[in-house]
Amino acid sequence: MPSLFETDIRKLKGVGEKRAALFAKLGAPTVGDLLRLYPRDYQDWSEVTPISEAGIDEVCVVRGEVASPPTEQRIRGGKLMHRCTVTDGVSDMKLTFFNNRYIPSLLKEGEAYLFRGRIGASGRTASMVSPEFAPADRSAEIVPIYPATQGLTSRSVAQAVRSAMALLPDTLEDPLPGEIREQYKLCYLGYALENVHFPKTMEDLEIARRRLVFEEFLVLQLGLMEIKSGSRQENLHPIPGGFPEEFTRLLPFKLTGAQQRAVTEGVKDMSGPSTMNRLVQGDVGSGKTAVAAALCWPVIKAGQQAALMAPTEILAAQHYKSLSGLLEPAGVRCGLLTGGAGAEHKRVREGIRSGEIELAIGTHALISEKVEFHELGLVITDEQHRFGVKQRMALAQKGASPHMLVMSATPIPRTLALMAYGDLDVSVLDELPPGRQEIATYLIGPDKRGRAFGYVRKFLDEGRQGYLVCPLIEGDESGMMSLEEYLPRVREAFPGVEVAALHGRMKPAEKEQVMAGFAKGDTRLLVATTVVEVGMDVPNAAIMLIENAERYGLSQLHQLRGRIGRGKFQSACILISAARNPESVERLKVFKSTNDGFAIADADLKLRGPGDFFGQRQHGLPQLKIASMSMDMELLKEAQKCARRIYRSGALEGREHMLLRGEIRRLFEKTGGGRVAL
Ligand code: ADP
Ligand code: MG
């Protein structure tokens, strides 16, 4: 088959210069590409439904004899309309056609045809408007529908595919070795191609599709694994192996099993032959900071420095406070470096340069030119989605390929993590520390807002703080709640309560000030847009109200809700929404039903597809031709297993996988080398 990928599409009968250009537009400049241009849909003519059993609104194929010659009528606008009745011997069906003057010559009285269309009702009789039709003796078949383009119909693509199929040798070499096909019960490539294009039955199509989807996933995974191993660098900062027990004794709690696993994985990386590149992915509150600190420990003990970069001053200060409190008594010197200048700034910079400061915590101030490290062994970025790869790299440049640890609270289903974070190994914290209170979540209509405010009041009276979230800063024609409208309402509803507003158009310094006021407890209610979504850790905040909750995706709602339930207080989240459309209702119901970030991520994936996960995060993942990450999850998992096995055994280099390597090259070369970036 590889040779067919070098065979120009013009080799096919009926494809000249002009058509070749159109095929190229569809992504099929060669015969091989054309065979991999799969139908986007199928019309099933293989199953004929008796008229009496055809349900209204269903798309059916009906076999009917034309009972009387079609009548012709001119209707408004000069449109031509034909009508006739057909019968299957038991029931009648009425047909209407518009603007097709050939109808009388195409539909002959007394002859039988197959009609395919959506069933309607004309009084008590079934009907179809402008159905497709074909002579009844045509072999009942499933018609592939191809992506088409101006000047090239699905039908002509199908014809070209037919002649391309004829060029295939009888025994086609299959990129999937027989052993894999057998183990995963996958059909042979020749069968798959024949049946993905021209299936006889829907079962055959399913068998074909399953194999092709598996192959595509396998090729994708293997390619990503290769990229990942290619980006590995020699470990210039090896540390001794072994679990940092000494560190864990400093903690006021016992690490969860998930935390222990993540630490073990990180230590193994850093004591191994190549640089660590690891993502720790854990739900809000899963205890990523402790994992980070545990991994700093052996690095510092080995005489090197570690740096922890947070996206905001508040977060950096938060980390500094808790980590220095923990580590300084054990003799580890910590420093905080945020924006600004002055003597303190200089002193910290000096300490970082001399190596006296062993753990540098800060904002992106850490990557400013003035900052130099003595010997930087480990770089940690917190809430990584707030940093670009560039910033992460800039911090890494401060050392000689230091180890990298990236922490993210955006849950991604495990199966997708490899693809979303191509060059990183992933540790998942899928377990919350014990004793967390579940957050109670309620969904109400805007008419109940008054009562919700009353509920908020109760939390305030008990000494708690709260977040009130709305989608807009200024009102617009969408009718959604804006800060402009909301703030005075809130102030009126909560007289005597210190209320502050927070939104994305404020200057960073203003934002920090507002957040600091809230963190200190001076501000009791924070009215905010989604800027509160990241990282704020105010354990005393226990109530959150989200206006126009239908506006947000599941993952975003989850991030928002993660701002509460961080302390020992029972917390509550109230969603306000008037949305009626089933999709929004479903989403909010799912959200109400669970606090588990991974369950939510899975549901989000099912409801909205992977676009959301990959949308902002991933560039350059190859375009899949047939597989769908959200629909074919089970196959993705199987292919992942298979890919790991092949890769680990080193078998990919072998002769039996030569064709598979060709497929990997082909899939990735179209995406400019397939660098997968964060
Ligand atoms: P996140 O993963 O959101 O960054 P943090 O690291 O901020 O979570 O941890 C959230 C809270 O849980 C902190 O107050 C931390 O001290 C606490 N914590 C972390 N690990 C444990 C544990 N194993 N047992 C009990 N509490 C823990
Ligand atoms: Mg955190």
Side-chain angles (χ1 to χ4, degrees):
M1 188 130 115
S3 65
L4 285 184
F5 282 100
E6 284 143 31
T7 311
D8 194 287
I9 190 106
R10 280 170 299 189
K11 273 274 151 51
L12 298 177
K13 226 177 86 196
V15 180
E17 208 61 47
K18 226 167 106 195
R19 288 216 148 178
L22 296 174
F23 275 108
K25 210 164 138 190
L26 291 179
T30 72
V31 173
D33 291 315
L34 180 64
L35 289 171
R36 296 283 193 178
L37 179 70
Y38 305 123
R40 60 172 170 76
D41 201 2
Y42 300 84
Q43 276 184 2
D44 185 1
W45 291 76
S46 67
E47 215 166 291
V48 173
T49 308
I51 294 173
S52 60
E53 286 170 26
I56 287 197
D57 259 357
E58 271 173 51
V59 174
C60 294
V61 176
V62 165
R63 188 182 185 284
E65 194 173 290
V66 177
S68 58
T71 60
E72 184 168 307
Q73 219 180 319
R74 285 269 164 203
I75 56 169
R76 252 178 305 159
K79 266 193 190 170
L80 196 59
M81 181 171 84
H82 290 98
R83 279 211 265 226
C84 70
T85 301
V86 299
T87 174
D88 63 3
V90 178
S91 315
D92 290 351
M93 181 170 75
K94 292 202 155 95
L95 305 180
T96 311
F97 296 90
F98 294 102
N99 277 344
N100 183 348
R101 61 198 168 93
Y102 301 110
I103 290 295
S105 59
L106 290 172
L107 293 180
K108 294 273 171 12
E109 182 181 1
E111 303 261 324
Y113 301 85
L114 294 175
F115 298 94
R116 185 178 183 281
R118 195 173 291 281
I119 302 286
S122 166
R124 287 171 152 215
T125 316
S127 68
M128 274 186 194
V129 176
S130 302
E132 293 174 72
F133 55 90
D137 57 4
R138 111 175 194 176
S139 63
E141 61 177 337
I142 297 169
V143 179
I145 309 296
Y146 288 94
T149 181
Q150 183 89 48
L152 194 60
T153 60
S154 166
R155 193 184 291 237
S156 27
V157 176
Q159 263 165 11
V161 173
R162 270 222 192 278
S163 37
M165 292 292 295
L167 295 184
L168 284 176
D170 283 344
T171 47
L172 198 54
E173 278 198 88
D174 194 326
L176 290 184
E179 182 217 344
I180 293 182
R181 294 204 308 268
E182 216 161 277
Q183 185 182 352
Y184 292 94
K185 306 207 164 28
L186 303 166
C187 69
Y188 164 63
L189 177 62
Y191 183 91
L193 287 176
E194 174 67 33
N195 286 283
V196 77
H197 290 295
F198 308 110
K200 299 269 176 335
T201 66
M202 292 313 264
E203 287 75 40
D204 289 340
L205 170 61
E206 198 33 51
I207 291 168
R209 203 182 164 274
R210 182 166 181 280
R211 179 236 139 89
L212 294 170
V213 168
F214 184 97
E215 179 185 321
E216 191 162 46
F217 278 146
L218 182 69
V219 166
L220 176 67
Q221 312 273 337
L222 285 171
L224 288 171
M225 288 174 180
E226 281 207 313
I227 289 173
K228 200 156 140 177
S229 76
S231 65
R232 283 287 177 265
Q233 281 164 320
E234 190 196 343
N235 185 355
L236 302 181
H237 309 277
I239 58 157
F243 198 83
E245 301 286 353
E246 209 188 335
F247 167 78
T248 50
R249 280 198 289 275
L250 301 174
L251 289 170
F253 46 73
K254 190 174 172 309
L255 290 180
T256 63
Q259 283 171 318
Q260 288 177 25
R261 271 195 301 281
V263 173
T264 305
E265 286 164 343
V267 170
K268 192 167 167 225
D269 288 348
M270 292 192 288
S271 54
S274 41
T275 303
M276 172 170 80
N277 263 309
R278 183 165 290 276
L279 170 76
V280 172
Q281 218 209 324
D283 214 343
V284 280
S286 57
K288 293 184 287 294
T289 321
V291 171
L295 291 174
C296 289
W297 184 264
V299 170
I300 291 167
K301 290 291 142 188
Q304 297 156 21
Q305 292 168 294
L308 168 59
M309 183 163 70
T312 64
E313 299 211 344
I314 298 237
L315 278 179
Q318 223 166 257
H319 281 316
Y320 177 72
K321 197 168 149 225
S322 58
L323 292 180
S324 59
L326 191 66
L327 296 170
E328 298 230 302
V332 174
R333 274 146 306 171
C334 304
L336 175 66
L337 195 76
T338 54
E344 172 64 10
H345 204 264
K346 202 164 161 213
R347 193 188 62 76
V348 175
R349 271 197 338 253
E350 206 39 60
I352 295 177
R353 193 195 322 267
S354 69
E356 188 198 326
I357 289 178
E358 298 162 292
L359 174 57
I361 298 166
T363 56
H364 46 265
L366 285 171
I367 52 182
S368 90
E369 268 171 39
K370 289 188 198 152
V371 179
E372 279 173 46
F373 283 82
H374 182 67
E375 192 188 349
L376 183 58
L378 169 63
V379 161
I380 304 173
T381 43
D382 191 17
E383 307 292 350
Q384 67 80 29
H385 60 283
R386 292 280 297 258
F387 292 111
V389 199
K390 276 206 193 112
Q391 283 161 311
R392 184 150 64 86
M393 293 306 169
L395 186 51
Q397 304 285 308
K398 302 272 178 193
S401 22
H403 299 292
M404 302 265 247
L405 187 71
V406 173
M407 301 198 286
S408 168
T410 314
I412 291 188
R414 263 170 205 280
T415 32
L416 296 187
L418 174 68
M419 284 172 269
Y421 301 107
D423 60 338
L424 298 171
D425 296 308
V426 182
S427 297
V428 181
L429 299 185
D430 50 4
E431 182 185 349
L432 289 183
R436 283 289 153 77
Q437 303 254 16
E438 282 273 294
I439 302 171
T441 302
Y442 309 96
L443 173 60
I444 61 171
D447 53 318
K448 303 259 168 56
R449 182 178 294 115
R451 280 179 59 189
F453 278 1
Y455 195 59
V456 172
R457 177 96 241 174
K458 267 184 29 202
F459 276 80
L460 295 177
D461 288 345
E462 283 164 19
R464 303 288 82 73
Q465 292 163 274
Y467 299 97
L468 308 178
V469 181
C470 67
L472 302 177
I473 299 176
E474 280 161 26
D476 64 13
E477 65 288 344
S478 71
M480 278 184 296
M481 188 61 88
S482 66
L483 275 183
E484 193 182 39
E485 179 191 344
Y486 204 42
L487 199 55
R489 277 215 217 180
V490 171
R491 292 218 155 100
E492 196 186 5
F494 297 94
V497 172
E498 195 55 46
V499 176
L502 183 71
H503 61 78
R505 268 194 237 147
M506 289 160 67
K507 294 208 182 73
E510 278 178 283
K511 268 194 269 182
E512 302 263 339
Q513 203 185 346
V514 169
M515 291 202 270
F518 190 67
K520 267 208 306 207
D522 297 345
T523 302
R524 310 306 295 179
L525 274 181
L526 196 59
V527 182
T529 57
T530 53
V531 290
V532 293
E533 165 184 340
V534 175
M536 287 273 290
D537 185 24
V538 181
N540 190 47
I543 175 94
M544 174 175 278
L545 210 113
I546 304 175
E547 297 279 351
N548 296 105
E550 75 283 356
R551 252 290 302 257
Y552 306 103
L554 271 175
S555 301
Q556 200 177 10
L557 284 172
H558 183 66
Q559 287 293 317
L560 280 171
R561 186 170 58 183
R563 299 306 105 224
I564 57 172
R566 301 176 76 83
K568 50 187 182 297
F569 312 108
Q570 173 63 52
S571 300
C573 176
I574 304 174
L575 310 171
I576 301 190
S577 174
R580 290 275 167 74
N581 86 63
E583 203 192 310
S584 307
V585 173
E586 171 66 22
R587 193 163 65 231
L588 295 177
K589 266 200 204 147
V590 167
F591 183 66
K592 229 175 69 137
S593 71
T594 178
N595 276 306
D596 175 350
F598 286 93
I600 285 175
D602 269 333
D604 207 8
L605 185 67
K606 284 204 190 89
L607 286 171
R608 296 206 295 183
D612 209 47
F613 291 99
F614 290 142
Q616 327 135 10
R617 206 164 292 121
Q618 163 274 329
H619 321 275
L621 203 67
Q623 182 80 40
L624 297 177
K625 288 181 184 330
I626 190 166
S628 144
M629 302 223 194
S630 50
M631 309 286 286
D632 300 311
M633 208 48 148
E634 286 310 309
L635 274 175
L636 175 59
K637 285 182 196 162
E638 283 191 47
Q640 222 155 35
K641 259 193 252 159
C642 178
R644 262 188 231 122
R645 221 194 54 213
I646 296 178
Y647 199 77
R648 290 215 181 114
S649 68
L652 192 57
E653 308 304 319
R655 246 194 72 75
E656 75 276 26
H657 292 119
M658 193 180 72
L659 293 175
L660 204 50
R661 289 200 300 276
E663 295 295 333
I664 296 172
R665 220 179 314 114
R666 231 186 326 277
L667 183 65
F668 281 84
E669 79 196 353
K670 294 210 173 104
T671 52
R675 272 307 298 166
V676 180
L678 271 174

